[in-house]
């Protein structure tokens, strides 16, 4: 007899019926009181050598239905190595087919990254002695908001990830980013003499632990809370914003994942009232540098720019650009495979996220002189 469970850190699934391995019926649970749902992560036990057909029956009512087109779910036996499985979407149902080679296996929307791993990795980085560290404040569920600082330059570069907890590629990217800094990568030596890096590897630890797609414990989308953040509803943004006010911001990168677009891309702050030629030139410089450095990056696919003066200042990258008149961007990575450099076995993966982060460090090092 097989079992299907998700009652664990970062887990999300509701089991309707798992009696027949060839017709397992599932649903994705919403983000607590919020209506968002798309993230799933669950484990199956007792299924070695059995042909599983797993149907997520409310996929057609998910937050981003367009994300299912061309999508393949991921699976892992150990939580480290993830691979893609046969997946199809039709008539509102997401169907995954797989025959496990081991007795226990996990399936997820993207490679899972639980809150416990966030804490363990933060502790690992603290022990390197390469960073200044601070807990900026507690989340609503009492979890730490980890913050790292490195460098000695007068410019202040801010990098954050995982405002949307279901976008776990942000945490895998942060592993690559912080490890490169901890390793003393010589390419970024000049960057650290010109700038101080401020890094928040996981903005939404509560949402991560609860298995949410977009919101924190209060059901707030943190990336829509920057203009009017409050310590009782969005303390994660509140504490980070207060720290930014203390340091200033000359560069900002917010790391995300996009459900529908099968490529990596940057979204600028074009459309904020203070948008000017300098901000536009810096965005082009960073994009051009990254395009030359990384075979994973492209500039054809992305979001349309907001009309002049109409950008939503509740969004982090727009709020930061408007407040500090700096280069401010959102990085989006795919849940699917990337059309640029496709890899059908793993798709966009944790290893590719980590390597891409190292390439961003090189881009930062190339353009730091243009910032100040």
């Amino acid at each position: 007899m097989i079992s299907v469970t998700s009652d664990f850190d970062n887990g999300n699934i509701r089991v309707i019926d798992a009696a027949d391995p060839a017709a397992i019926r599932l649903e994705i649970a919403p983000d607590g009181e919020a209506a968002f749902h798309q993230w799933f992560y669950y484990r199956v036990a007792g299924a070695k050598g059995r042909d599983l057909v797993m149907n997520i029956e409310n996929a057609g009512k998910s937050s981003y239905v367009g994300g299912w087109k061309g999508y393949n779910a991921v699976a892992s036996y150990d939580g480290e190595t993830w691979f893609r499985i046969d997946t199809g979407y039709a008539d509102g149902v997401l169907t995954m087919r797989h025959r496990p080679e081991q007795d226990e296996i996990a399936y997820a929307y993207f490679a899972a990254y639980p809150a416990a791993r966030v804490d363990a990795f933060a502790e690992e980085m603290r022990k390197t002695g390469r960073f200044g560290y601070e807990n900026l404040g507690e989340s609503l569920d009492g979890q730490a908001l980890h913050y790292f600082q490195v460098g000695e330059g007068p410019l202040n570069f801010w990098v954050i990830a995982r405002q949307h907890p279901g976008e776990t590629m942000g945490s895998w990217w942060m592993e690559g980013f912080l490890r490169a800094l901890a390793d003393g990568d010589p390419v970024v030596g000049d960057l650290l003499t010109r700038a101080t890096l401020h890094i928040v590897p996981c903005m939404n630890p509560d949402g991560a632990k609860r298995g949410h797609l977009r919101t924190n414990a209060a059901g707030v989308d943190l990336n829509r809370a920057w203009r009017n953040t409050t310590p009782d509803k969005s303390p994660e943004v509140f504490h980070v914003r207060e720290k930014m006010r203390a340091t200033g911001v000359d560069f900002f990168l917010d790391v995300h994942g996009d459900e529908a677009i099968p490529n990596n891309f940057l979204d600028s702050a074009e459309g904020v009232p203070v948008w000017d030629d300098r901000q536009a030139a810096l965005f082009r410089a960073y994009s051009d540098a990254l395009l030359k450095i990384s075979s994973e990056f492209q500039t054809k696919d992305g979001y349309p720019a907001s009309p002049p003066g109409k950008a939503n200042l509740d969004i982090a990258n727009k709020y930061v650009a408007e407040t500090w008149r700096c280069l401010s961007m959102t990085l989006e990575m795919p849940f699917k495979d990337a059309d640029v450099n496709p890899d059908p076995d793993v798709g966009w993966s944790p290893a590719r996220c980590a390597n891409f982060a190292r390439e961003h460090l090189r881009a930062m090092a190339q353009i730091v002189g243009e910032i100040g």
Side-chain angles (χ1 to χ4, degrees), residues 35-362:
F36 299 109
H37 76 276
Q38 191 120 1
W39 170 258
F40 62 89
Y41 170 37
Y42 61 92
R43 296 175 188 149
V44 178
K48 181 179 179 180
R50 306 184 75 170
D51 290 319
L52 301 180
V53 180
M54 300 166 285
N55 299 296
I56 296 182
E57 297 184 355
N58 65 343
K61 297 179 180 179
S62 63
S63 300
Y64 304 98
V65 176
W68 304 129
K69 181 181 179 181
Y71 168 78
N72 288 295
V74 298
S76 178
Y77 296 109
D78 61 4
E80 295 291 333
T81 301
W82 295 83
F83 54 91
R84 299 283 169 165
I85 64 169
D86 180 30
T87 307
Y89 175 74
D91 300 323
V93 178
L94 187 75
T95 300
M96 296 166 283
R97 302 174 186 273
H98 187 239
R99 177 184 288 182
E101 297 177 357
Q102 298 181 27
D103 193 57
E104 295 189 4
I105 187 168
Y107 299 99
Y109 185 32
F110 193 80
Y113 204 104
R117 183 174 181 129
V118 171
D119 291 339
F121 182 67
E123 183 61 20
E124 179 186 344
M125 290 298 100
R126 286 180 66 183
K127 289 180 177 178
T128 66
R130 295 281 297 177
F131 304 96
Y133 171 83
E134 186 179 343
N135 175 6
L136 292 183
E138 289 191 345
S139 67
L140 291 172
D141 286 343
Q143 297 191 84
L145 191 61
H146 303 295
Y147 159 83
F148 294 91
Q149 180 179 318
V150 63
E152 53 195 29
L155 297 173
N156 290 285
F157 278 42
W158 275 84
V159 185
I160 69 172
R162 205 110 178 253
Q163 288 203 80
H164 296 150
E167 296 167 13
T168 56
M169 57 283 292
S171 284
W172 294 108
W173 188 97
M174 274 293 184
E175 280 205 7
F177 192 74
L178 284 163
R179 287 194 194 282
L181 290 167
D183 291 345
D185 189 329
V187 176
V188 300
D190 185 54
L191 172 64
L192 297 183
T193 62
R194 291 171 175 259
T196 300
L197 271 62
H198 308 270
I199 304 158
V200 182
C202 182
M203 287 285 296
N204 197 337
D206 292 353
K209 191 168 187 177
R210 288 167 175 248
H212 287 185
L213 174 70
R214 288 182 71 87
T215 66
N216 70 357
V220 173
D221 182 338
L222 297 183
N223 203 31
R224 299 296 186 273
W226 280 74
R227 181 165 39 184
N228 298 305
T229 185
T230 62
D232 60 325
K233 292 292 186 179
S234 51
E236 304 88 351
V237 172
F238 180 84
H239 292 309
V240 170
R241 203 179 71 174
E242 289 301 297
K243 188 69 173 181
M244 285 179 165
R245 287 175 172 172
T247 67
V249 186
D250 299 291
F251 172 101
F252 177 70
L253 183 66
D254 183 14
V255 183
H256 283 257
D258 182 85
E259 290 79 4
I261 297 176
N263 268 321
N264 294 292
F265 62 95
L266 289 168
D267 185 44
S268 77
E270 184 175 353
V272 299
V274 300
W275 181 259
D276 57 19
D277 290 344
R278 177 179 180 273
Q279 286 174 309
L282 288 175
F283 180 75
R284 287 194 301 271
Y286 190 81
S287 295
D288 290 347
L290 190 59
L291 200 58
K292 292 176 181 177
I293 292 166
S294 178
S295 61
E296 305 281 18
F297 182 61
Q298 58 81 54
T299 56
K300 293 181 180 179
D301 292 338
Y303 301 147
S306 301
K310 300 297 184 180
N312 184 355
L313 300 184
D314 293 326
I315 295 173
N317 119 32
K318 319 299 184 187
Y319 174 85
V320 170
E322 180 70 11
T323 303
W324 285 279
R325 297 183 177 233
C326 64
L327 173 57
S328 183
M329 303 168 287
T330 303
L331 168 64
E332 299 282 357
M333 293 179 283
F335 281 86
K336 310 171 185 180
D337 197 0
D339 284 350
V340 172
N341 287 337
D343 185 340
D345 290 336
V346 297
W348 189 246
S349 67
R352 295 173 75 182
C353 291
N355 185 65
F356 194 36
R358 290 177 177 268
E359 293 172 333
H360 275 268
L361 268 173
R362 288 166 171 75

